[in-house]
Amino acid sequence: MAFDPANAIQNLQFFGEFGGVNPSISDSSTYTFLAAKTMFDTFEGNADGCYLYSRHSTPSNLYLASALAAMENTEAALVTASGMGAITPVFLHLCEAGDHVVSSRTIYGGTYAFLKNFAPKFNLTTNFVDITNLELVEAAITPKTKILYCETVSNPLMEIADIKRLSAIAKKHGVKLVVDNTFSPLSVTPANLGADIVIHSLTKFINGSSDTVAGVLCTTRELVDDMCNVTDGAAMLMGSTLDSLRAASILKNLRTLHVRMPQHSKNALYFAQQFEADGVKVIYPGLGSHKSHEIYKSIMHPDYGFGGMLSIDVETEENASALMEAMQEKNVGYLAVSLGFYRTLFSASGSSTSSEIPEDEQAEMGLSPGLIRFSVGLDCNAETSYAKIREVMTAIGLI
Ligand code: PLP
């Protein structure tokens, strides 16, 4: 049977300490030992099943990590206190001063800012390229390149990374392919296509209730152990540890992800089709007009659809502001950043989540000041919701 990420999660069976159907939450920052020697062995990582200190590891974080590793079909995973808390240690662990990264130029603004402004302090440099142009990608790789970085569906331009081909390029040059899969959980399994490390901001669809900030990296057991090494592991030493209470609540929400994603995808496809029919410039990988529609179709698990994210371009910041304010007024959703909530969220990326990218570079990559990114909600009636959007677009003269 073909790999189904939702089944992989469901096939896990966890019990709580008192026979509960949810694993017990470990509500301690430190753990006791009957023998001093076991404490020493645990510190050295040689005492399986023992816990020492909650920055190192906790039962709740390990439960969540094992479910996410199952979902992404990797040997292991490491949960972190934010998506950025998963992203930054990957670069700092795999690269040394003088090394080089090739990254998609359309990525989350925080990741872009880290690579562009922060990493050079440690003499780690990055070439930002159009990830859909595989010749450019390969040409940018140098003998110093350690990482090829992209998002499966890019934020906010919805470019699709052809992970299979990118992985072939990465393998040819001995480079690690790191894929941020935040926009496409369940829809795409990057590790099955050759990605070495798969990252999520759990803050988004996976948790799905906009009440938590968290992240994960999914990869080999060896790399997770290395990154958690107490003497030189970047994840351990940067200290981006997820709290156990949050890990437990994210695990509970993860179990309904396979019910939520098809509804996000169905509503987003409906909105995208309506925007297109109304003559609004719309980017959604589920539309035949999307330049990488066929690539996405070839890599996705069809049951979960093309995802809940779409962007429209209303050309100017003024148009974008007027539309977003009017949509919020009509209760289409919220004028807010982030994604994966049960209500639709919208924001103008150029002046919010991508504002770290200088304006001239935004223009070069096609990020217009009028670009509005939608995280389409779980609306029970997308027709009614779109009717409100059409009404406000008509009222402010956009259609
Ligand atoms: N990756 C993507 C694609 C994102 O959209 C975000 C946040 O918006 C992040 C990573 C960073 O995640 P966090 O805010 O949880 O640190």
Side-chain angles (χ1 to χ4, degrees):
M1 207 176 105
F3 174 76
D4 181 332
N7 258 334
I9 298 168
Q10 272 174 30
N11 286 340
L12 297 170
Q13 192 179 34
F14 299 140
F15 293 101
E17 196 181 352
F18 305 103
V21 294
N22 289 304
S24 306
I25 300 172
S26 90
D27 193 23
S28 295
S29 58
T30 188
Y31 298 81
T32 181
F33 294 86
L34 294 178
K37 162 114 180 33
T38 321
M39 178 185 271
F40 176 75
D41 289 344
T42 306
F43 201 84
E44 295 282 294
N46 299 329
D48 257 6
C50 291
Y51 297 90
L52 179 88
Y53 179 59
S54 287
R55 177 162 51 75
H56 296 186
S57 129
T58 76
S60 303
N61 287 5
L62 292 186
Y63 282 123
L64 176 61
S66 63
L68 292 163
M71 178 183 93
E72 286 300 0
N73 206 19
T74 58
E75 282 173 12
L78 175 69
V79 294
T80 53
S82 69
M84 288 306 291
I87 292 166
T88 54
V90 166
F91 290 109
L92 295 174
H93 194 86
L94 294 181
C95 301
E96 289 177 9
D99 282 343
H100 176 252
V101 172
V102 175
S103 169
S104 165
R105 61 183 181 174
T106 69
I107 50 172
Y108 169 59
T111 314
Y112 178 89
F114 175 78
L115 290 173
K116 181 85 192 286
N117 307 324
F118 190 90
K121 286 203 237 179
F122 304 99
N123 198 17
L124 173 62
T125 53
T126 301
N127 262 53
F128 294 96
V129 295
D130 174 353
I131 203 74
T132 62
N133 185 334
L134 298 178
E135 276 169 25
L136 267 188
V137 172
E138 185 157 15
I141 294 176
T142 75
K144 290 279 184 194
T145 309
K146 288 281 162 33
I147 291 179
L148 175 54
Y149 186 87
C150 64
E151 296 172 358
T152 310
V153 180
S154 80
N155 182 3
L157 291 175
M158 311 295 151
E159 288 177 347
I160 305 302
D162 190 341
I163 300 171
K164 256 191 219 166
R165 292 215 168 87
L166 290 167
S167 147
I169 293 172
K171 286 196 170 50
K172 180 170 154 197
H173 294 274
V175 166
K176 293 255 183 273
L177 177 62
V178 181
V179 178
D180 180 335
N181 202 30
T182 299
F183 277 27
S184 41
L186 301 182
S187 292
V188 179
T189 308
N192 287 1
L193 305 165
D196 296 293
I197 301 175
V198 182
I199 290 172
H200 283 275
S201 164
L202 301 177
T203 317
K204 312 295 166 26
F205 288 102
I206 290 181
N207 185 57
S209 47
S210 290
D211 57 0
T212 298
V213 177
V216 69
L217 63 98
C218 305
T219 183
T220 59
R221 174 85 267 152
E222 190 185 356
L223 184 55
V224 166
D225 288 348
D226 252 25
M227 290 185 68
C228 293
N229 190 301
V230 287
T231 47
D232 62 1
M236 178 62 61
L237 298 174
M238 301 295 287
S240 176
T241 307
L242 182 60
D243 183 76
S244 288
L245 292 173
R246 282 307 191 190
S249 72
I250 297 167
L251 177 62
K252 284 176 268 189
N253 289 357
L254 174 65
R255 293 167 177 164
T256 57
L257 184 64
H258 66 290
V259 182
R260 291 182 275 120
M261 282 319 293
Q263 184 73 6
H264 283 297
S265 294
K266 182 174 153 224
N267 288 349
L269 179 62
Y270 178 76
F271 278 19
Q273 286 166 339
Q274 297 305 307
F275 278 127
E276 195 162 59
D278 283 335
V280 177
K281 197 168 153 198
V282 53
I283 321 174
Y284 181 66
L287 291 175
S289 57
H290 189 286
K291 81 170 191 181
S292 302
H293 176 67
E294 291 304 324
I295 293 176
Y296 200 103
K297 260 171 63 178
S298 75
I299 61 174
M300 73 192 279
H301 299 290
D303 288 352
Y304 307 107
F306 292 89
M309 301 302 296
L310 65 86
S311 291
I312 64 168
D313 186 354
V314 291
E315 284 171 11
T316 64
E317 198 176 331
E318 292 68 36
N319 283 343
S321 300
L323 178 57
M324 292 190 298
E325 285 166 15
M327 286 193 297
Q328 179 160 257
E329 176 91 22
K330 281 265 173 209
N331 199 11
V332 170
Y334 297 108
L335 199 180
V337 297
S338 201
L339 40 134
F341 197 38
Y342 83 109
R343 293 303 308 276
T344 296
L345 303 178
F346 32 84
S347 55
S349 299
S351 50
S352 60
T353 49
S354 298
S355 58
E356 295 91 338
I357 304 173
E359 275 173 26
D360 55 327
E361 290 177 35
Q362 290 191 20
E364 201 183 309
M365 66 177 70
L367 204 172
S368 132
L371 189 111
I372 303 176
R373 187 189 75 180
F374 285 73
S375 165
V376 180
L378 298 171
D379 308 24
C380 49
N381 190 333
E383 287 80 3
T384 315
S385 304
Y386 190 80
K388 291 182 190 171
I389 299 176
R390 183 180 283 126
E391 198 184 321
V392 296
M393 286 197 300
T394 309
I396 56 182
L398 290 177
I399 54 172

